[in-house]
Amino acid sequence: MKRQNGALVALVAAVTVAAVVLGATIASRQVPQRQSAAYAAPLPAPTSTTTTPSKGTQTPKPPATTPSLQPSSAPAVPTDTPTLTGPTKITLAVAKLSTGRQPQIPYLDGRQVRGGAGSTVTIPGKDDVLQIARVNSSVLALTTNGNGSQVLRFDANGAASVANVNHLEAKADQSGVAYAALGADGPVEGGTIYADTGTSLTALKLTKRWNFKVLSFVGDKVYFESSDVLGSGASWSTYVWSPGEPEAKLVKALASMTKMSADGKAAATALLVSNTGSCSAVTTVETGQRVWKTCDYYLNDFSPSGATVFGVPSGDDGYCSSAEAALDAKTGKLLREWKGCLQSITPEDDEHLLMVATASGEGDNAKTAIIRCTISTGDCELATPVASNRLLLSA
């Protein structure tokens, strides 16, 4: 399967399920993108609630105040900044890097899920694997073929599946994964949000709005987005749901969120997304106050403590991202930028960033490796050997 970024395009109804899933998955850690979601089938026997959004006929009724994950005395963003040495901008030579330790988070090598707390698990079949995650004692894999997509869950009781899911978002401690699914028989309004602990499922069925996609799973809250119409001219909104609650709530302050920090205090939000570039901001979750903004990078992840935010050049669009940047989440100062052909990107801890980097070739002929780069020094090493195997980092 050729790995590539989708172009920045308007939402369209007539897209194949496989193409939509692939574009949404890769774009979530690379360039900004809006695409219609994959279609979905019901989950096998989840604990579920059903709700019809109550703001008119389109959206859930907004709460009286913006939902918050922390007390009012909590700081907006972390204040600790790493001490830096070496150059700010670094051009990677992947094939020349020395070998370090293996990734300490789950990752896919070929069809094997390795790393993290658990034994190696092989994903059966020939369907393309788009995302993986370990959740407690289970392994989840988002796969796709010409007939659609599905999440497969492997545990001691065997395999279970959820059809037509478009994206996975795992909690930082690997205790849960959230995802969205839509109608299996073509574009229909509504969808279902799932919270999966690896052994149990909780579901929220929604009857209004379109194109649901989970953005973050933080603490006991699932943040997701949806659009008011199917097709061009859609307006996007962010909602929050606590698994087990009967409805989701509109989060007005985070209208275009792309990622939330693991402590729930700060969010990356998109201010502008176009075919020629984008602007992003770091926003305080509790108050909705914009801390700073950048039109140089599209922000898409945080370090575990939230002190560092990551992003790709705002105009990137192609087979891979041309660079990955680490910025101070409090001030927006550029801490480090690694230049190369970079794909799946995940923080390993507060000091280290894991990236799937291309050593040579492209598409099906590419040779890649997972590399580990240190924020404070800029130094990088191989976390896996350079090879032609399919490599993915955990959702």
Side-chain angles (χ1 to χ4, degrees), residues 235-328:
S235 176
W236 293 79
S237 300
T238 301
Y239 297 85
V240 61
W241 170 57
S242 296
E245 292 296 316
E247 64 177 13
K249 297 179 180 179
L250 177 66
V251 187
K252 291 182 178 180
L254 304 176
S256 298
M257 188 177 83
T258 55
K259 192 73 173 182
M260 183 173 287
S261 61
D263 60 10
K265 295 178 181 179
T269 55
L271 304 179
L272 170 69
V273 177
S274 71
N275 288 328
T276 57
S278 64
C279 295
S280 293
V282 167
T283 301
T284 303
V285 172
E286 184 179 22
T287 64
Q289 180 181 8
R290 184 186 304 166
V291 182
W292 55 268
K293 74 173 183 177
T294 176
C295 294
D296 296 324
Y297 300 100
Y298 179 76
L299 305 177
N300 54 16
D301 213 341
F302 288 87
S303 63
S305 70
T308 306
V309 63
F310 303 101
V312 299
S314 64
D316 266 10
D317 179 31
Y319 165 73
C320 56
S321 297
S322 63
E324 182 70 18
L327 301 96
D328 187 314

Side-chain angles (χ1 to χ4, degrees), residues 18-182:
V20 172
V21 173
L22 177 60
T25 300
I26 295 179
S28 67
R29 290 193 183 277
Q30 297 187 7
V31 297
Q33 180 170 330
R34 294 286 193 192
Q35 294 199 23
S36 55
Y39 308 128
L43 268 173
T47 301
S48 64
T49 54
T50 301
T51 181
T52 299
S54 56
K55 184 181 180 181
T57 59
Q58 293 292 323
T59 62
K61 183 178 180 180
T65 59
T66 300
S68 173
L69 290 177
Q70 63 279 329
S72 58
S73 60
V77 292
T79 58
D80 50 323
T81 302
T83 301
L84 304 179
T85 60
T88 300
K89 296 188 177 183
I90 299 165
T91 299
L92 294 167
V94 177
K96 296 180 180 181
L97 297 177
S98 60
T99 300
R101 62 176 181 166
Q102 294 181 344
Q104 300 302 292
I105 64 171
Y107 66 100
L108 182 76
D109 185 347
R111 300 196 71 84
Q112 292 187 329
V113 178
R114 302 175 178 176
S119 59
T120 298
V121 174
T122 299
I123 308 301
K126 296 183 179 180
D127 290 357
D128 290 326
V129 181
L130 301 181
Q131 284 185 289
I132 59 96
R134 286 193 189 273
V135 187
N136 292 314
S137 60
S138 299
V139 167
L140 275 71
L142 174 60
T143 67
T144 185
N145 57 34
N147 298 318
S149 64
Q150 63 179 339
V151 167
L152 302 175
R153 185 211 286 160
F154 304 93
D155 57 29
N157 297 319
S161 64
V162 181
N164 303 304
V165 170
N166 62 352
H167 181 69
L168 301 178
E169 279 292 331
K171 296 177 70 170
D173 61 2
Q174 299 178 28
S175 64
V177 168
Y179 40 89
L182 290 100

Side-chain angles (χ1 to χ4, degrees), residues 198-212:
T199 56
S200 64
L201 293 164
T202 305
L204 175 70
K205 185 171 180 60
L206 298 162
T207 59
K208 299 295 182 182
R209 298 185 67 86
W210 306 80
N211 302 312
F212 293 90

